[in-house]
Amino acid sequence: MNRVDRPLVEALEKFIEDVPISFHVPGHKAGVLSDLPLGLRGALRYDLTELEGLDDLHEPRDVIAKAQEKLTALYSSEQSFFLVNGSTVGNLAMIYATCSSGDTVIVQRNVHKSIVNGIELVGAHPVYVTPSWHEESCSWGIVDLAKIKESLSLYPESKAVILTYPTYYGVVSDELKEIISCCHDKKVPVLVDEAHGAHFIIGKPFPASALELGADIVVQSAHKTLPAMTMASFLHIQSKLIRPERVSKYLSMLQSSSPSYLLMASLDDARAFVEGYNESDIHYFLQERKKYIEGLKGIPRLQVLEVDDPLKLILRIDGYSGYEIQQLLATNGIYVELADTYQVLMVLPLLRETTIYPFESVISKIKLAVNRLKVSKDTLPLIETLKVTEGVTRLVHTAKTLNQLEQSWVTYKSSIGRVAAGSVIPYPPGIPLLIAGERITEAHVSTVKSLVQLGAKFHGDIRIDDGHLLVVNEEMEE
C-alpha cells in the first residue's frame, strides 16, 4: 500500500527525533513526570504545544494548514477544519454561524443532544420535525421531503434546517438531495450532523455523504468510523449562503486554545487512511464482513440485520432486550456500540487488506453465550420512543424563558400535562426523549417507565431512583 503524506504526523516525528528538552507546557514534560502506565506514557512524547515547526490550529500557516488543505481536497469542500472537541463543537459552531437569538430553525427531532444544546445556547427558537419510523431497524429514520416542505411553508422565516444523516443506526434517506435543493430554493442553508459518515467519502458500497449531496455544513466524527482518537472530528463547509470565515470565527471561540496534538495527528492519520483506501481494501472488507455475517446467521435464535451503511450491524434475540443482550456479550468480552429496547448495534472495523480481525473468535463466543439463554421468553413490547412527538412541533417555553421560571421535581405520574424544565436523554444514542420546554404527555411517561424497567441509562433531568422529573411550577405556566 502506498503511504499517503501526513504533514502533521511527519512534523511531530521529526521533532521527537531531535530529543527535545521541555521547558514548556504541558507539565508532564514529555511523560518524564507521569506515573501513567508505560504504554500510555510513551504517547506523551507527542503531547506537545505550539512550538517552532508544529504550527498553531487557531492560526494555521504551516503543517496544520497543509494537513487541513489535504482534508479539504479529499472531501472536495470549500474549506475543512480539524475539530479537537468532538463533533459537539462542530455542531455548536455551525449553529452559531447561521443563527441568532430569536431566529427560527427547523430541526430533525432525533438529533443529538449537542444540537439541542447549541440551539439553547444561541437562543434560537426550534421547530421540531419528527422523522418516519424505520420498521426494519426499529428506530427513527430521516425526515421526509414532504415534512420539510410543510415546515418551510409554516415557518418561511427559518434561518436553517438541521438534519442528522446517517442515523446512529446507519439508516440514510434517498430524498436528502431533494430536501437540500428545496431548502436552497428558499435560501435556507442545510446543516448536517454526519457524525457516523466520515467514511462515506470512500464511495460505494457506502452511501453518499451529505456533503456530496449539497449540504452547506457537514460535521463528522472521524473517531467513530475512521482510525482517529476519541473526540477527533472534521467540519466541512461548501456553501453559497454561509462564509467559511464565520464558521472559523466560532470554531476559534469554542475550541480549546490548547488543542491536543495527539488528536490533530490522529486526524491527519485518519485522513491519510481513508485517502489511501483502495478497491482491494473495499473487496477485502466486504469479503470479511460477509463471512462474519454468515457465521452470525448460523447461530440459532440470533437475528442479524443489515442496514444502509455496511459498517453497521444490528443483532437481536427474540424475547430479550438489547440491554440484556449487551450485558450477555460484555460478560464474554464483546462490547457493542449501543443497546436499546430491542437490539444491540455493532460498528464494524473498516478493515484494510493487511488487517486481521478476530471475527471467528467472536462468532464462537456469541454462539456459546446465546446457547446459555433460556429457550423461550415473552416477546418484548414495541416502544417507539419518539412517537410522543409526531409532526411539526414547537416548545411551550424557550430555554431563556425556562431559566426565569420556578421549577420542582415531581413524580412521573404528576408530571403528565406539565412542561418539562429539563431534557431526558436515553444514552446512548443521546437523542432526547423529552426536550426542556416540551409538554409532558402520558406517552412520554409511559416510555420513560418502560425504558427504566428495561435497564436504559439516561442523561438529563431525571431521577431514576425515586421516579421524578423536573418540571415548571404550574402557577408559573401560561
Side-chain angles (χ1 to χ4, degrees):
M1 167 183 172
N2 294 327
R3 170 63 69 186
V4 179
D5 289 343
R6 300 173 298 168
L8 180 55
V9 173
E10 290 158 15
L12 286 170
E13 287 181 316
K14 183 179 179 181
F15 188 88
I16 295 302
E17 283 174 4
D18 292 334
V19 193
I21 300 172
S22 171
F23 286 96
H24 55 76
V25 298
H28 57 68
K29 303 302 178 186
V32 172
L33 302 183
S34 174
D35 289 327
L36 285 170
L38 190 59
L40 286 172
R41 207 182 314 158
L44 296 184
R45 294 182 302 152
Y46 297 89
D47 184 29
L48 297 164
T49 188
E50 293 85 356
L51 303 173
E52 188 68 28
L54 297 183
D55 209 357
D56 182 344
L57 179 64
H58 293 287
E59 287 291 340
R61 299 180 184 279
D62 192 5
V63 290
I64 294 175
K66 291 176 183 176
Q68 291 190 140
E69 286 165 6
K70 285 183 171 293
L71 179 68
T72 299
L74 175 63
Y75 283 86
S76 299
S77 65
E78 186 177 350
Q79 190 169 354
S80 295
F81 301 87
F82 284 173
L83 306 180
V84 294
N85 292 77
S87 283
T88 292
V89 79
N91 289 338
L92 295 179
M94 71 182 183
I95 292 169
Y96 270 99
T98 52
C99 304
S100 300
S101 179
D103 285 346
T104 299
V105 55
I106 296 170
V107 190
Q108 181 173 322
R109 180 59 177 76
N110 56 333
V111 291
H112 189 262
K113 65 177 185 176
S114 60
I115 296 291
V116 177
N117 292 340
I119 293 168
E120 176 178 342
L121 287 170
V122 82
H125 296 169
V127 172
Y128 289 105
V129 185
T130 303
S132 301
W133 180 255
H134 189 256
E135 296 289 346
E136 291 82 1
S137 65
C138 289
S139 67
W140 290 93
I142 312 293
V143 292
D144 53 44
L145 177 61
K147 287 183 180 177
I148 293 296
K149 285 183 174 179
E150 178 189 356
S151 302
L152 289 170
S153 176
L154 290 170
Y155 302 97
E157 74 278 12
S158 297
K159 297 297 183 182
V161 170
I162 305 178
L163 304 174
T164 300
Y165 171 97
T167 69
Y168 209 137
Y169 294 80
V171 176
V172 300
S173 166
D174 57 7
E175 290 187 323
L176 184 59
K177 188 170 185 177
E178 289 180 85
I179 288 171
I180 293 170
S181 294
C182 172
C183 295
H184 285 173
D185 287 344
K186 298 183 180 297
K187 307 300 182 187
V188 178
V190 178
L191 318 179
V192 179
D193 178 355
E194 194 173 272
H196 290 260
H199 60 295
F200 287 2
I201 189 65
I202 292 170
K204 293 182 178 180
F206 301 103
S209 167
L211 192 68
E212 181 185 344
L213 298 176
D216 295 84
I217 303 178
V218 173
V219 177
Q220 300 170 333
S221 295
H223 66 92
K224 292 190 184 298
T225 57
L226 301 182
M229 293 176 66
T230 299
M231 290 176 64
S233 301
F234 299 140
L235 182 148
H236 311 284
I237 180 168
Q238 176 183 262
S239 178
K240 295 179 180 179
L241 302 171
I242 309 164
R243 292 181 292 107
E245 295 81 10
R246 189 162 175 80
V247 178
S248 179
K249 168 189 171 182
Y250 285 106
L251 283 178
S252 184
M253 293 170 66
L254 295 166
Q255 293 215 89
S256 171
S257 59
S258 300
S260 166
Y261 274 79
L262 288 171
L263 291 178
M264 289 188 288
S266 78
L267 284 170
D268 193 22
D269 183 62
R271 184 271 314 157
F273 175 96
V274 74
E275 184 176 334
Y277 205 83
N278 56 38
E279 289 296 326
S280 296
D281 295 323
I282 294 172
H283 177 76
Y284 178 74
F285 163 73
L286 292 176
Q287 186 180 48
E288 291 297 295
R289 177 182 179 274
K290 181 180 179 182
K291 286 191 293 185
Y292 179 55
I293 292 173
E294 287 175 349
L296 291 176
K297 287 183 176 179
I299 300 173
R301 302 169 60 201
L302 184 69
Q303 300 170 31
V304 183
L305 177 71
E306 300 176 56
V307 288
D308 298 322
D309 181 1
L311 274 193
K312 300 294 178 72
L313 205 61
I314 291 172
L315 303 183
R316 298 178 187 146
I317 301 173
D318 275 343
Y320 288 85
S321 74
Y323 309 110
E324 292 173 304
I325 300 170
Q326 181 182 43
Q327 186 174 16
L328 173 73
L329 296 180
T331 57
N332 288 271
I334 300 166
Y335 295 89
V336 296
E337 173 64 15
L338 69 80
D340 65 21
T341 309
Y342 324 102
Q343 58 213 356
V344 295
L345 176 70
M346 286 186 160
V347 181
L348 302 182
L350 186 60
L351 297 178
R352 284 190 295 206
E353 192 173 16
T354 55
T355 313
I356 297 174
Y357 215 74
F359 286 132
E360 290 186 10
S361 173
V362 171
I363 293 168
S364 297
K365 288 182 177 182
I366 293 178
K367 185 174 183 178
L368 286 172
V370 173
N371 287 341
R372 294 194 199 104
L373 295 176
K374 293 178 182 178
V375 174
S376 62
K377 202 166 180 268
D378 293 337
T379 301
L380 293 167
L382 184 66
I383 304 174
E384 298 180 0
T385 56
L386 287 178
K387 204 73 175 180
V388 294
T389 54
E390 289 199 56
V392 179
T393 60
R394 297 200 75 157
L395 301 178
V396 177
H397 295 306
T398 64
K400 182 178 180 180
T401 305
L402 280 177
N403 291 334
Q404 301 170 354
L405 300 177
E406 292 184 9
Q407 305 168 2
S408 58
W409 290 93
V410 301
T411 64
Y412 293 157
K413 184 177 180 180
S414 299
S415 73
I416 297 172
R418 309 282 289 277
V419 174
S423 295
V424 176
I425 308 165
Y427 206 90
I431 297 167
L433 166 64
L434 186 62
I435 296 173
E438 281 188 318
R439 181 81 61 186
I440 301 171
T441 65
E442 189 172 344
H444 281 119
V445 171
S446 175
T447 300
V448 166
K449 287 181 177 179
S450 297
L451 291 174
V452 169
Q453 186 176 6
L454 287 167
K457 297 178 181 178
F458 291 86
H459 287 183
D461 293 295
I462 179 173
R463 295 198 327 224
I464 294 175
D465 292 342
D466 61 357
H468 280 62
L469 297 174
L470 188 64
V471 301
V472 174
N473 287 353
E474 287 184 351
E475 63 271 17
M476 300 296 293
E477 293 180 29
E478 295 177 356

